[in-house]
Amino acid sequence: MRRPFSFASCCSALLALSLVLLPPAAPAAADDPPAAGSPPQAATPPVAAAPAAPDLQAVIKRAKAKVFPALVHIQPVYEEYRGGSKVLGTATGSGVIISPEGFVLTNYHVAGRARKLICTLSSEARLSAELVGADPWTDIAVIRLHLKELKGEPLAWASLGNSDRVEEGDFVMAMGSPLALSFSVSFGVVSRRDRPLGQDMNIESFQKTGLFNTWIQTDAAINPGNSGGPLVNLDGEVVGINARANTSAEAIGFAIPVNIVRAVADQLIAKGKVTRSWIGVSWQPLEEFSEHFKAGSGRGVLVAGVVDASPAAAAGLRPGDVVVEFDGSPMNGRFKKDLPGIARRVADTPVGREVVVKFVRDDREQEARLKTEELERAAGEDFECKDWGLTVKEITRTMARELSLEDANGVLVTGAKAGGAASRVGLENGDVIRELSGAAVTDLDVFRHLAAKAPRGPKVRVLLRVLKGGRHPRLVLLPAGDAEPAPVAKETPAPAENAEKPDPVQ
């Protein structure tokens, strides 16, 4: 997901480096005669020889050798719901082994929805893997290699560094499989150590990512297929996991800081998921609002919105409040880059804890008590009704808010197959099914059950109560079997645009 590093700029940088490291000119020899008429000079003490400058090429090679053997080329096979059908798709991604047990770090968008994982190691050994856990909020997933398939071959793994020590200008390498060109290395510098990318990045429908972290921006080339691969410093440590690129620009890529990755991976390995607290507040940096909201010294963070029926709403918080302390810790969100840390501070609070929130309203500091709730999944599960040519999605509370639905009851239509029963009666994306055969559809499990026991036959019609576009009530008679269902063909994965052919390893 990145652009190539400029050779010209690299040469300029190395030239400047070499000039800086040139030793000073040698002093005149002690027995050189002084110039005529010059005053006598004291003897010059001997100068110790300057240490030899490290060979940058050698440093790069040593660092690469520590991580490159731990690279993994990942080919996920995943389910995709489109056009009213469930299909299998393939793609190409990257990963890095981090333990002798075969745990591999990668991105959620690489492996989080995978039905099957095919992994190739740098030794060209090919083996399968299983998903241990995935966290869409940070775009991190952990998979585990089936090491029995290695048949005694040695396994290499990489060390994780400390992303808090990363600084702008540090040399880094991005490793992975850009455009399916497996086991590639690109070189560049850290352009920004804590780049905020906003709170509205969707990793999939209704699921946001990046709320809890800033990003390491680099000009090391990162392209589609690099996702999940390591960003490596010159000590041979992983300092980030490659995840994003600005494809409309040159040499702008982003990695998730490894300190965030480590904390997420520890929970995924221990329990298969990440548990976070939620209070129902959206934050905004104070910036120029500090004087308007009378926040005094500029400390605190601005409450931009409060979700109805949330812990924050129950505690009386409202937009325009400036929160200065949460559970005993100061909250300082003056700039956009501070917001992920604010969100992480709330999320890391144990679920169900009663906390004191101190805030400023109308130039007066106040406090409120609230009990945190667990942050739920934002995107619901998908389901295919093959007989009806229909795909639907579970509605979460987050989705209900985004769609402006009165509640989370029903299922959301995500596709109607052309020529299928659902399409012929006008069902389309965005409709909400609230009743099936006179029974209320409260959630996806209920819909599955009702759909499974619905009558079938050439002349049978199933009555649905639908909200068209999630707004307008309508009754629909769905044909429940105008013809015998077609035989189920063996599903063949659809190749991804940049998918790499299985052999040979490139």
Side-chain angles (χ1 to χ4, degrees), residues 40-45:
Q41 298 180 359
T44 304

Side-chain angles (χ1 to χ4, degrees), residues 256-441:
I256 306 161
V258 78
N259 289 5
I260 298 292
V261 175
R262 182 189 287 109
V264 169
D266 286 347
Q267 288 200 55
L268 293 178
I269 292 171
K271 56 186 181 181
K273 70 171 189 174
V274 179
T275 303
R276 295 185 176 91
S277 275
W278 175 80
I279 63 172
V281 167
S282 56
W283 306 106
Q284 185 173 339
L286 270 177
E287 296 181 315
E288 72 273 15
F289 292 102
S290 58
E291 289 190 12
H292 179 82
F293 288 107
K294 301 180 180 179
S297 63
R299 68 191 180 106
V301 60
L302 184 62
V303 175
V306 177
V307 175
D308 291 342
S310 66
L317 289 177
R318 62 193 193 205
D321 290 342
V322 177
V323 174
V324 295
E325 187 176 298
F326 181 88
D327 197 25
S329 296
M331 299 280 270
N332 293 311
R334 186 169 180 80
F335 302 108
K336 187 177 178 181
K337 69 180 181 63
D338 301 323
L339 296 187
I342 295 290
R344 195 164 60 247
R345 174 67 190 89
V346 174
D348 290 346
T349 304
V351 175
R353 172 180 285 183
E354 186 176 280
V355 301
V356 175
V357 179
K358 293 183 179 180
F359 61 96
V360 175
R361 181 188 295 167
D362 298 330
D363 204 24
R364 186 168 64 89
E365 187 168 307
Q366 306 178 47
E367 68 177 47
R369 293 180 178 272
L370 58 82
K371 183 179 287 188
T372 70
E373 296 180 4
E374 184 172 353
L375 178 67
E376 65 171 15
R377 290 181 303 120
E381 182 184 350
D382 292 289
F383 178 68
E384 178 192 28
C385 294
K386 189 171 291 186
D387 289 353
W388 299 342
L390 180 70
T391 55
V392 299
K393 183 185 282 289
E394 168 193 12
I395 300 174
T396 65
R397 289 192 299 174
T398 299
M399 290 172 58
R401 289 193 294 270
E402 288 195 21
L403 295 169
S404 299
L405 302 175
E406 60 185 24
D407 54 45
N409 290 333
V411 292
L412 179 70
V413 175
T414 56
K417 189 174 182 178
S423 176
R424 293 201 305 272
V425 297
L427 290 178
E428 55 190 353
N429 292 7
D431 292 345
V432 176
I433 300 175
R434 289 295 187 113
E435 286 185 9
L436 195 161
S437 297
V441 175

Side-chain angles (χ1 to χ4, degrees), residues 28-86:
D31 55 356
D32 285 349
S38 62
Q41 298 180 359
T44 304
V47 178
D55 180 352
L56 181 60
Q57 182 68 70
V59 171
I60 292 171
K61 287 186 174 182
R62 282 196 298 269
K64 178 219 130 184
K66 291 181 179 180
V67 179
F68 194 83
L71 280 182
V72 182
H73 175 80
I74 303 174
Q75 291 172 282
V77 179
Y78 56 89
E79 294 176 345
E80 190 173 17
Y81 293 79
R82 61 170 184 252
S85 299
K86 178 178 72 175

Side-chain angles (χ1 to χ4, degrees), residues 228-242:
L231 189 71
V232 181
N233 65 15
L234 291 193
D235 291 324
E237 300 170 327
V238 177
V239 294
I241 294 296
N242 306 323

Side-chain angles (χ1 to χ4, degrees), residues 10-285:
C10 181
C11 291
S12 300
L14 293 178
L15 176 60
L17 181 64
S18 65
L19 292 174
V20 170
L21 295 176
L22 283 175
D31 55 356
D32 285 349
S38 62
Q41 298 180 359
T44 304
V47 178
D55 180 352
L56 181 60
Q57 182 68 70
V59 171
I60 292 171
K61 287 186 174 182
R62 282 196 298 269
K64 178 219 130 184
K66 291 181 179 180
V67 179
F68 194 83
L71 280 182
V72 182
H73 175 80
I74 303 174
Q75 291 172 282
V77 179
Y78 56 89
E79 294 176 345
E80 190 173 17
Y81 293 79
R82 61 170 184 252
S85 299
K86 178 178 72 175
V87 298
L88 295 183
T90 62
T92 295
S94 308
V96 59
I97 305 168
I98 58 168
S99 77
E101 294 80 21
F103 290 113
V104 176
L105 290 176
T106 186
N107 286 140
Y108 172 89
H109 75 263
V110 171
R113 298 180 294 114
R115 178 168 162 176
K116 181 180 180 181
L117 291 162
I118 303 167
C119 298
T120 305
L121 309 188
S122 62
S123 64
E124 299 191 4
R126 177 162 296 180
L127 58 163
S128 59
E130 62 188 17
L131 180 65
V132 174
D135 179 47
W137 295 102
T138 53
D139 196 13
I140 291 298
V142 175
I143 66 176
R144 190 171 190 176
L145 302 171
H146 293 152
L147 295 182
K148 290 182 179 179
E149 299 173 16
L150 271 181
K151 300 178 181 179
E153 291 185 34
L155 183 73
W157 61 92
S159 298
L160 304 184
N162 183 352
S163 52
D164 287 346
R165 295 179 181 172
V166 170
E167 295 181 2
E168 288 81 2
D170 286 354
F171 288 127
V172 286
M173 290 174 282
M175 301 183 183
S177 302
L179 303 175
L181 301 173
S182 55
F183 307 109
S184 298
V185 179
S186 61
F187 183 74
V189 298
V190 172
S191 307
R192 172 77 180 264
R193 65 186 299 270
D194 57 351
R195 175 70 66 191
L197 292 183
Q199 304 179 67
D200 297 317
M201 291 190 302
N202 277 356
I203 195 169
E204 58 188 15
S205 295
F206 302 104
Q207 177 63 63
K208 298 186 187 308
T209 194
L211 271 70
F212 303 110
N213 60 276
T214 54
W215 307 75
I216 299 174
Q217 180 184 332
T218 178
D219 65 359
I222 300 177
N223 291 282
N226 270 118
S227 292
L231 189 71
V232 181
N233 65 15
L234 291 193
D235 291 324
E237 300 170 327
V238 177
V239 294
I241 294 296
N242 306 323
R244 294 284 181 280
N246 187 334
T247 55
S248 63
E250 290 291 329
I252 298 181
F254 304 95
I256 306 161
V258 78
N259 289 5
I260 298 292
V261 175
R262 182 189 287 109
V264 169
D266 286 347
Q267 288 200 55
L268 293 178
I269 292 171
K271 56 186 181 181
K273 70 171 189 174
V274 179
T275 303
R276 295 185 176 91
S277 275
W278 175 80
I279 63 172
V281 167
S282 56
W283 306 106
Q284 185 173 339

